[in-house]
Amino acid sequence: MHFVADKDRDVIEQFTEIANHESSAVTLERMASTSLLLPSTNVFLMHFFGDWAKEMLSPIIEAITPGTKVLDSKIGVRADQFRNPSFVLSLDGPPQENSGRVLAGSLEWSGSFQCAFDDNGESIRALCGVNPFESAYHLKSGETFMTPRMLWAWSTNGLGEMSRNLHKWARDYGIRDGHTVRTVLLNNWEATGLDFDFNRIVSLYDPAKGIGTELFLLDDGWFGNKYPRVNDHAGLGDWQPNRSRLPDGLAPMAREAVKRGLRFGIWMEPEMVNPKSELFERHMDWVISQPKREMELQRNQMVLDLTRPAVQAFEWRSIQSILSVPDISFAKWDCNRYLTQPGSSYLATDRQSHLWIDYIHALYALMNKTAKTFPNTELMLCSGGGGRVDYGALKYFHEFWPSDNTDPTLRVPMQWDYSYFFPPMAICGHVTHWGNRPMHFACSVAMSVRFGMDLDLNTLSVEDRAICAGAVSAYKQVRDLTQLGDLYRLEDPHGNYRAAINYVSEDLKRGVMFTFQLQGGPQAPVHPQGLDPKANYTLHELNPAPGRATIPQEGKTFTGAQLMDDGIVPSCAKAVEASVVELHP
């Protein structure tokens, strides 16, 4: 049993090493990462259920009662789609933000998992790790099996302190380049979908630069020739630029972005293949499937069998060829389906149960090789939304895509719930037209995490474009706070008319407060937290909404104690309005 302790943050990683010193093989039926014992008095569990476009939207808080409560996933590849392998145990009744003993658990594993809580009336055992379902693992004499790491974070002062400790740990150990602020991104997906060519994409660059964005991400649709990627039925696996759309490949497109002072990024989905592809025609046996069963497609695609060495080599060649294109410095790694018919034509009959585990090990090896070979390439972790949000994969990435649902009224609670476990700098928030919300509200919500946009700037009204430009400028003033500062969750969006959070710099000299009005309600003060009670702070509303008065305390100076006691009156009162207030010396 291994423990890796960060004593300053009350964070511990735990994992198990199983070595076979017998003369013959043994079979592991269960290989948990942790088996933690807790007292059974007044313990509550907070966990999260969701689906595509509903990730982390349904926090469930319930008492652990005698018997066994199981949180699990059996879908193998994007195992987090319906349930995130992160939870909170509260030892003093329902968890509170600023009081009580809480223990967060997060399994560092992207495959099928199981977290079981067994209450025998005297104690609770938390048994967490790889899901034992159909995962028997044969260990030869002399071999060693290492379980995934289980991450634990403890606090005696509630969820807020727990999260801040986890965020600091994550910036040091859980994500890549956790002390480097992220740039502002513009994605083309909402603007063009799969319908574009070289000139269409390049036409988006000048408007992007004009409002201050720093990175352009070319999404799905740039590849495939015999079976061009003009819809999601074809092309996956054929990672060559489409000659009709991009006759000279990716390099000229990337070069044109760099000429304008923009970095250039690319979308890829290396684990997947469409049956309508040259790759599938050549290697039908490379997909995960079961013999004598009709192939079941999701999003018209299949999963390549990463336990097969030839597939590992192919995927690496594909990634290497894409990321070696000059001027590509960002990549979005997607995964748009999970397993329903697990079977490998490469693994022996008595090793089929190894698929669930060996796939993830091969995936991590591929991700690790990508991160090490391209250390200056920023990587976004995506899985058709939040289907793969865990620290097992995140250690190779800079950020993750929380959900394909970008309606800002839903992103507010999503971002709130993700922030229990993951630092805001890793949570991608993009401004889109989903939900048809006011542009100022959408920008304010996205500004509170890793800010990006997914818009056709050429079609925006003059007013909306000015709002976007103002949001980008404002974000650059405070992104060191939102990405590297301490987060304080102030007003919970679940079931309330508004939500509020604030960030404070490490030296306590600066802060920024976000208020999101979800419904109409009283314009009551919001009470920030974490400020230096004796320090002076001057208030300034960033990028105020057009035609609306700024905050009543605009330009005035108060001590931290006054602000925490008396609060800040935001400028928003109607539904889908927002206010962003900077607190500076």
Side-chain angles (χ1 to χ4, degrees):
M1 293 171 63
H2 296 262
F3 300 87
V4 181
D6 184 340
K7 67 182 180 65
D8 295 328
R9 283 83 177 266
D10 285 328
V11 174
I12 293 177
E13 291 178 285
Q14 180 182 0
F15 59 100
T16 306
E17 180 181 9
I18 305 169
N20 180 14
H21 298 304
E22 303 295 325
S23 58
S24 58
V26 298
T27 300
L28 307 180
E29 298 289 351
R30 179 184 281 273
M31 56 292 276
S33 301
T34 184
S35 179
L36 187 67
L37 276 175
L38 299 166
S40 63
T41 304
N42 203 25
V43 177
F44 276 68
L45 172 68
M46 180 167 69
H47 57 101
F48 303 86
F49 184 79
D51 196 350
W52 178 81
K54 302 173 186 175
E55 298 91 336
M56 296 294 275
L57 270 179
S58 303
I60 301 163
I61 299 174
E62 57 185 314
I64 294 183
T65 56
T68 303
K69 172 73 176 183
V70 176
L71 312 176
D72 77 341
S73 170
K74 301 184 180 75
I75 55 179
V77 176
R78 46 178 299 173
D80 302 4
Q81 175 161 344
F82 301 110
R83 187 182 300 283
N84 194 283
S86 301
F87 57 85
V88 174
L89 292 165
S90 175
L91 278 63
D92 298 307
Q96 304 298 317
E97 187 67 25
N98 296 310
S99 64
R101 297 171 297 164
V102 292
L103 180 68
S106 187
L107 184 66
E108 300 179 29
W109 184 244
S110 304
S112 298
F113 62 87
Q114 183 183 92
C115 299
F117 308 93
D118 183 73
D119 185 349
N120 64 10
E122 295 181 356
S123 61
I124 295 171
R125 183 180 297 276
L127 195 67
C128 307
V130 171
N131 197 323
F133 176 77
E134 294 297 327
S135 295
Y137 207 84
H138 305 279
L139 206 59
K140 296 178 182 178
S141 177
E143 288 186 336
T144 298
F145 184 92
M146 304 288 284
T147 71
R149 295 188 176 202
M150 184 68 190
L151 182 66
W152 296 108
W154 171 260
S155 171
T156 56
N157 296 302
L159 298 166
E161 181 182 78
M162 174 209 80
S163 295
R164 289 186 287 276
N165 284 340
L166 256 181
H167 297 169
K168 291 172 183 175
W169 174 89
R171 290 195 291 265
D172 282 346
Y173 307 110
I175 62 175
R176 291 177 61 198
D177 299 329
H179 297 278
T180 303
V181 295
R182 312 310 194 213
T183 51
V184 182
L185 176 153
L186 178 71
N187 193 346
N188 72 294
W189 179 252
E190 295 289 337
T192 69
L194 294 162
D195 184 16
F196 60 82
D197 58 15
F198 176 87
N199 290 328
R200 177 72 176 101
I201 295 300
V202 171
S203 73
L204 302 175
Y205 292 170
D206 286 334
K209 183 64 176 177
I211 67 164
T213 60
E214 300 154 310
L215 165 66
F216 184 90
L217 171 60
L218 177 65
D219 215 292
D220 194 359
W222 55 268
F223 51 90
N225 285 293
K226 181 178 180 181
Y227 301 105
R229 184 71 168 174
V230 295
N231 54 52
D232 65 7
H233 289 70
L236 280 180
D238 301 340
W239 298 106
Q240 299 81 38
N242 179 270
R243 289 187 291 270
S244 298
R245 292 179 166 186
L246 309 173
D248 298 312
L250 293 171
M253 187 178 296
R255 187 165 56 247
E256 289 298 319
V258 172
K259 281 183 182 178
R260 292 162 172 81
L262 295 170
R263 291 170 54 209
F264 185 83
I266 196 74
W267 178 94
M268 59 184 183
E269 194 174 10
E271 301 161 70
M272 302 291 163
V273 63
N274 287 125
K276 194 173 182 181
S277 67
E278 293 182 74
L279 177 66
F280 188 78
E281 288 179 343
R282 295 194 304 267
H283 300 289
M284 294 181 64
D285 58 334
W286 279 14
V287 300
I288 293 175
S289 61
Q290 293 179 351
K292 301 181 182 179
R293 288 192 176 187
E294 182 179 352
M295 286 192 308
E296 182 181 74
L297 303 181
Q298 291 176 15
R299 206 186 179 225
N300 309 300
Q301 63 195 60
M302 299 291 290
V303 184
L304 292 169
D305 181 4
L306 261 176
T307 68
R308 184 183 288 270
V311 170
Q312 297 170 18
F314 167 78
E315 292 192 22
W316 171 241
R317 288 195 304 272
S318 300
I319 294 168
Q320 194 174 29
S321 67
I322 295 168
L323 299 187
S324 294
V325 173
D327 295 321
I328 288 182
S329 60
F330 184 98
K332 176 182 176 183
W333 184 316
D334 214 338
C335 171
N336 277 294
R337 70 156 293 171
Y338 54 84
L339 294 183
T340 52
Q341 296 175 326
S344 168
S345 62
Y346 171 76
L347 294 174
T349 302
D350 64 349
R351 294 293 189 272
Q352 290 297 307
S353 58
H354 286 208
L355 174 64
W356 301 96
I357 295 171
D358 287 350
Y359 183 100
I360 302 300
H361 287 161
L363 174 66
Y364 287 167
L366 196 63
M367 290 175 169
N368 184 42
K369 194 172 184 178
T370 302
K372 288 184 175 179
T373 305
F374 300 97
N376 299 318
T377 299
E378 190 175 346
L379 296 178
M380 177 198 291
L381 180 63
C382 182
S383 192
R388 188 181 275 167
V389 182
D390 55 79
Y391 283 113
L394 264 176
K395 68 182 68 174
Y396 308 112
F397 289 79
H398 295 77
E399 60 237 13
F400 66 87
W401 184 237
S403 177
D404 284 344
N405 189 337
T406 51
D407 181 339
T409 63
L410 296 179
R411 277 300 186 101
V412 169
M414 275 184 190
Q415 291 169 187
W416 180 281
D417 292 341
Y418 273 119
S419 76
Y420 286 125
F421 311 100
F422 305 101
M425 72 181 308
I427 303 173
C428 294
H430 287 190
V431 181
T432 75
H433 290 300
W434 269 51
N436 292 317
R437 310 303 181 184
M439 186 61 67
H440 183 268
F441 183 80
C443 285
S444 300
V445 172
M447 283 171 59
S448 66
V449 286
R450 193 258 193 252
F451 187 36
M453 293 189 172
D454 202 332
L455 299 166
D456 185 350
L457 300 176
N458 291 306
T459 63
L460 289 184
S461 67
V462 173
E463 182 179 275
D464 278 353
R465 191 184 295 203
I467 290 171
C468 289
V472 172
S473 176
Y475 179 69
K476 290 177 181 179
Q477 297 177 50
V478 296
R479 62 178 163 188
D480 61 322
L481 291 171
T482 61
Q483 296 185 26
L484 306 178
D486 281 337
L487 168 66
Y488 291 84
R489 290 181 294 264
L490 308 176
E491 297 185 14
D492 190 335
H494 298 289
N496 294 322
Y497 72 96
R498 73 179 182 187
I501 60 174
N502 75 271
Y503 296 91
V504 181
S505 62
E506 186 176 3
D507 61 10
L508 307 186
K509 292 182 178 179
R510 298 170 55 230
V512 60
M513 189 182 81
F514 294 82
T515 305
F516 307 118
Q517 200 83 22
L518 302 173
Q519 303 170 20
Q523 204 168 8
V526 177
H527 297 267
Q529 297 176 19
L531 305 177
D532 181 347
K534 298 180 180 179
N536 289 320
Y537 299 92
T538 301
L539 305 187
H540 172 59
E541 183 166 9
L542 296 173
N543 195 35
R548 197 175 78 207
T550 59
I551 58 171
Q553 295 140 301
E554 174 70 31
K556 297 179 181 179
T557 300
F558 306 87
T559 66
Q562 288 176 306
L563 292 173
M564 291 188 287
D565 290 341
D566 300 333
I568 301 171
V569 179
S571 62
C572 51
K574 298 178 182 178
V576 291
E577 290 186 342
S579 176
V580 183
V581 179
E582 182 183 15
L583 291 68
H584 58 85

